[in-house]
Amino acid sequence: MSNNWNYIYFIAKKLQRKQSVTDDSLQGNKKAAKPITRIAILSISLAMIVNIVTIAVVEGFQQEVSRKVIGFGSHISIQKSGEISLMESAPLMKSQKLEEALRRIEGVKHVQSVAYKPALLQSRGDVDQKEILGVVLKGVDKNYDWSFFKTYLKAGKLPAFKDPASTEILISQRIASDLHYQLGDTVNAYFVKQKPIQRQFRIVGIYETGLEDFDKELVFCYLPQVQQLNDWGISAELIVEDSLYYGNLILRAQVSGGNGNYRYDWGEGYENTPVIAIYPQKDTTIQLIVADYWTFMDEPTGSPDNPKSETAIPDTTWLKIKVNGDKAGTSPFSVDSEGNLKKKYLSRDGLHYEVKAGAKTVDLEFFPGHGSYTEYVGSYELSVADFSDIENQQKKIEKAVEFNPDFRQQVKVNSIKDNQRDLFMWLSFLDVNLAIVLILMLVIGIVNMGSALLVLILVRTNFIGILKALGANNLFVRKVFLVHTGQLILKGMIWGNVIGIGLCWLQYQFHIIPLDPKVYYLNTVPIEFSLWKIGALNIITLGVCLLALFIPSLLISRINPAKSIRFK
């Protein structure tokens, strides 16, 4: 008999239609052919259901958790070298040329500046028992990419930061619930510095991502707020002390930030004198430039050349003096009973007042420095077009930073996988679990189909003998049974695909199965359909099962036609 595939498919089709035979010795009861084929089909279906659901859930976990973690941060960050934590890193001097160079890199979609500051938030004022919650303020600017939080905004709006001194914040639903806050409330925040300070912020938006570890920690505010709170750069202002020095006004510089070792330029070069005595006799403006230094007064300001002795960008403050009346007079300044200088305030902020000296009135108007803190950021965050190619993008960015002649600061370039190493390691372990489940289900399917093929061969022993007697060789008969078994496998796979994809769709649409976000980072089982993975699963399952059935099919070659025809 020829090994023509038309004959093979024809015979296999007949076997498929008649999956049971009767035996007189069993009083007309059907043999095990039909039940065993049903069990085989069921086992393949169950294996496909479990594998499809496993692939969709694991893929969903990896994609959803990765997407949310990246949404809170970025694909790649640039921070000061030597720093371990991104949220506690030393400041970087802003570089417009570096930002432009980063934006020109192929594959980089967005570049933004951020900074972090730990804070303590106090619960709402009308609550009987006050509560304190530790959080981290993430300062962002107007250029920040809010696309991720638009999806998870539960109430209010995203901060717009139209006011240069904006106090708008975006908090999570978890923080709002723990501290009993609502949209529009004013939040009291406390910051630990040399002297603890308090700031007030206004809630304009509430978000909820379900990523518990981040929801309970991060609060978003305007970048200048964090820059100033971190005492980056130098902030300087002038004050006139209440006491006098031999009848002269004592003008003192108040400085914060930098390394704490300050130098002062009153107009004749840097010196280490923070105080001068003046007796104004004409209209004038006093300008003071304050910088820090390590060893020598003539060190360059704002220099990052030596990471261990980096100096801050200086700040400038002014005092405008206007003398009215007897300008040349030398009368002493008026003081109160305690010897303190009498001041007549001309502004609510206390920066403009006048003092009297006999027939002379001295108008003092102070202009505090704007602070050089705005010239610093905690880190740069970069978004890339292709997350799967993040390693190559990281190398490109490292080269752009290292070989940029306009940027001399010592920095390191980290990917989100570096900053969240433990989390992404856990996600990678899911691939191992996935492989184990797929292999186990495949083995179960192979064992069941092998058993089904053996039973089919045994119950069809007479049929095999007749085929051989008609001239069919062993290969022809084996092909018939392999095609027949393959049809059973396909039937089980079809049912498995329909049910498996259907279950995944139900979970995707209706979130039937919840999760504890404290353990799994998500509040519901995520589903991600990967068509090419499901297609590959079907092809591999069919191919491996057919190859595995090759060994049981060898039993056909041991069947003797003469004996098998008489086999009952």
Side-chain angles (χ1 to χ4, degrees):
M1 185 175 290
S2 171
N3 280 325
N4 190 302
W5 283 101
N6 291 330
Y7 295 142
I8 294 172
Y9 286 129
F10 176 77
I11 297 173
K13 188 176 181 180
K14 293 296 183 182
L15 291 176
Q16 179 71 16
R17 290 181 178 177
K18 187 177 181 181
Q19 295 184 9
S20 61
V21 295
T22 55
D23 187 353
D24 294 337
S25 64
L26 296 176
Q27 298 179 352
N29 291 330
K30 293 182 178 180
K31 285 190 176 181
K34 193 165 187 177
I36 198 65
T37 55
R38 287 179 176 175
I39 294 174
I41 293 172
L42 181 61
S43 67
I44 291 294
S45 298
L46 289 175
M48 289 300 300
I49 293 170
V50 172
N51 287 348
I52 288 173
V53 171
T54 302
I55 289 175
V57 171
V58 170
E59 187 79 8
F61 260 108
Q62 292 176 329
Q63 294 292 333
E64 190 69 9
V65 174
S66 298
R67 188 174 66 84
K68 288 186 176 182
V69 171
I70 293 169
F72 277 102
S74 64
H75 293 115
I76 295 174
S77 63
I78 301 174
Q79 67 184 97
K80 206 67 173 284
S81 61
E83 300 295 331
I84 299 175
S85 173
L86 182 64
M87 296 185 181
E88 298 177 359
S89 62
L92 286 173
M93 290 185 189
K94 291 177 68 175
S95 173
Q96 188 65 33
K97 292 184 178 180
L98 175 64
E99 294 179 24
E100 293 173 357
L102 293 174
R103 291 188 178 97
R104 288 196 298 267
I105 298 175
E106 184 180 358
V108 174
K109 294 195 306 179
H110 190 71
V111 180
Q112 58 196 21
S113 306
V114 300
Y116 295 90
K117 180 66 179 178
L120 296 173
L121 301 186
Q122 188 181 51
S123 61
R124 193 172 176 177
D126 56 359
V127 178
D128 294 337
Q129 187 174 357
K130 296 288 185 181
E131 297 179 16
I132 296 293
L133 179 66
V135 299
V136 175
L137 289 184
K138 181 174 182 178
V140 300
D141 58 16
K142 296 178 181 179
N143 189 43
Y144 190 74
D145 182 6
W146 291 106
S147 56
F148 171 75
F149 288 96
K150 287 180 181 178
T151 307
Y152 297 100
L153 190 65
K154 301 290 290 184
K157 63 176 183 177
L158 296 171
F161 304 135
K162 295 179 180 179
D163 184 353
S166 174
T167 59
E168 295 180 345
I169 60 171
L170 175 71
I171 70 171
S172 69
Q173 182 64 56
R174 166 70 185 272
I175 295 174
S177 299
D178 289 347
L179 298 180
H180 314 288
Y181 278 115
Q182 297 177 353
L183 194 67
D185 285 347
T186 298
V187 180
N188 290 321
Y190 299 88
F191 301 89
V192 179
K193 302 174 73 173
Q194 291 181 347
K195 291 183 178 179
I197 63 172
Q198 176 188 355
R199 291 281 179 87
Q200 290 187 328
F201 297 92
R202 184 170 59 89
I203 301 173
V204 298
I206 298 175
Y207 72 89
E208 184 179 23
T209 67
L211 202 59
E212 191 76 4
D213 281 8
F214 291 84
D215 280 4
K216 69 181 182 182
E217 184 177 53
L218 279 177
V219 175
F220 294 82
C221 68
Y222 197 22
L223 179 60
Q225 296 280 0
V226 176
Q227 291 170 321
Q228 187 176 21
L229 287 166
N230 278 323
D231 287 331
W232 290 340
I234 291 176
S235 295
E237 64 177 322
L238 290 170
I239 64 167
V240 170
E241 294 189 354
D242 291 334
S243 59
L244 299 174
Y245 180 75
Y246 293 105
N248 295 314
L249 298 177
I250 301 175
L251 186 61
R252 178 180 295 277
Q254 288 191 330
V255 188
S256 62
N259 61 16
N261 193 27
Y262 304 118
R263 46 185 167 163
Y264 308 86
D265 182 359
W266 295 94
E268 298 181 357
Y270 282 111
E271 53 184 298
N272 58 3
T273 304
V275 179
I276 62 172
I278 61 173
Y279 190 90
Q281 290 183 313
K282 63 178 180 178
D283 296 348
T284 185
T285 298
I286 297 176
Q287 173 183 278
L288 172 64
I289 302 174
V290 183
D292 60 356
Y293 71 103
W294 294 93
T295 306
F296 304 104
M297 288 287 179
D298 58 352
E299 289 176 0
T301 58
S303 173
D305 291 339
N306 188 348
K308 294 183 180 180
S309 60
E310 182 177 310
T311 55
I313 297 172
D315 191 26
T316 303
T317 181
W318 296 268
L319 168 59
K320 185 178 179 180
I321 301 175
K322 187 177 180 180
V323 181
N324 300 312
D326 184 11
K327 294 186 178 182
T330 59
S331 300
F333 288 99
S334 301
V335 296
D336 59 19
S337 59
E338 297 179 357
N340 294 327
L341 185 66
K342 286 184 177 181
K343 302 175 183 178
K344 181 182 179 182
Y345 287 97
L346 304 176
S347 66
R348 292 184 178 180
D349 57 13
L351 296 177
H352 188 194
Y353 56 84
E354 62 182 26
V355 293
K356 285 187 174 292
K360 175 167 56 178
T361 302
V362 180
D363 185 291
L364 303 174
E365 186 174 4
F366 298 86
F367 297 89
H370 296 294
S372 59
Y373 58 84
T374 56
E375 299 300 321
Y376 293 86
V377 296
S379 63
Y380 285 112
E381 292 185 342
L382 293 84
S383 299
V384 299
D386 185 6
F387 179 65
S388 62
D389 192 40
I390 192 170
E391 287 80 10
N392 290 330
Q393 290 292 338
Q394 184 177 358
K395 292 177 182 177
K396 289 181 182 179
I397 295 168
E398 287 174 346
K399 289 181 180 179
V401 173
E402 183 177 354
F403 297 108
N404 191 321
D406 300 314
F407 187 78
R408 303 191 307 275
Q409 300 178 66
Q410 301 296 317
V411 298
K412 63 179 179 180
V413 179
N414 286 341
S415 69
I416 188 66
K417 293 181 179 180
D418 298 322
N419 294 329
Q420 299 290 339
R421 190 178 301 276
D422 293 341
L423 183 60
F424 279 91
M425 188 174 294
W426 172 69
L427 292 177
S428 66
F429 284 152
L430 294 179
D431 290 329
V432 178
N433 298 337
L434 173 63
I436 293 173
V437 172
L438 293 180
I439 292 172
L440 286 176
M441 291 297 100
L442 197 58
V443 168
I444 292 172
I446 289 171
V447 170
N448 280 281
M449 289 308 303
S451 302
L453 179 58
L454 288 175
V455 172
L456 288 173
I457 292 172
L458 290 175
V459 300
R460 302 289 184 182
T461 302
N462 301 77
F463 174 71
I464 295 171
I466 293 172
L467 284 179
K468 287 188 174 183
L470 292 174
N473 56 26
N474 290 325
L475 180 60
F476 179 90
V477 179
R478 280 163 58 189
K479 286 181 179 179
V480 169
F481 278 88
L482 286 176
V483 170
H484 176 39
T485 312
Q487 291 172 340
L488 298 178
I489 295 173
L490 283 174
K491 188 174 182 180
M493 288 173 60
I494 291 172
W495 278 109
N497 276 271
V498 171
I499 297 174
I501 294 176
L503 291 174
C504 291
W505 181 84
L506 289 174
Q507 175 63 23
Y508 181 81
Q509 290 291 330
F510 304 107
H511 308 295
I512 300 171
I513 305 176
L515 291 176
D516 183 358
K518 295 181 181 179
V519 179
Y520 296 102
Y521 300 100
L522 303 172
N523 51 20
T524 184
V525 174
I527 297 294
E528 183 73 24
F529 289 102
S530 178
L531 296 180
W532 76 268
K533 287 187 177 181
I534 295 176
L537 172 66
N538 281 273
I539 294 172
I540 292 172
T541 301
L542 179 61
V544 171
C545 286
L546 289 176
L547 288 174
L549 294 178
F550 177 78
I551 295 176
S553 69
L554 293 176
L555 180 63
I556 294 172
S557 61
R558 303 178 63 87
I559 296 177
N560 187 302
K563 295 180 180 180
S564 62
I565 292 175
R566 299 192 301 271
F567 180 77
K568 296 288 187 178

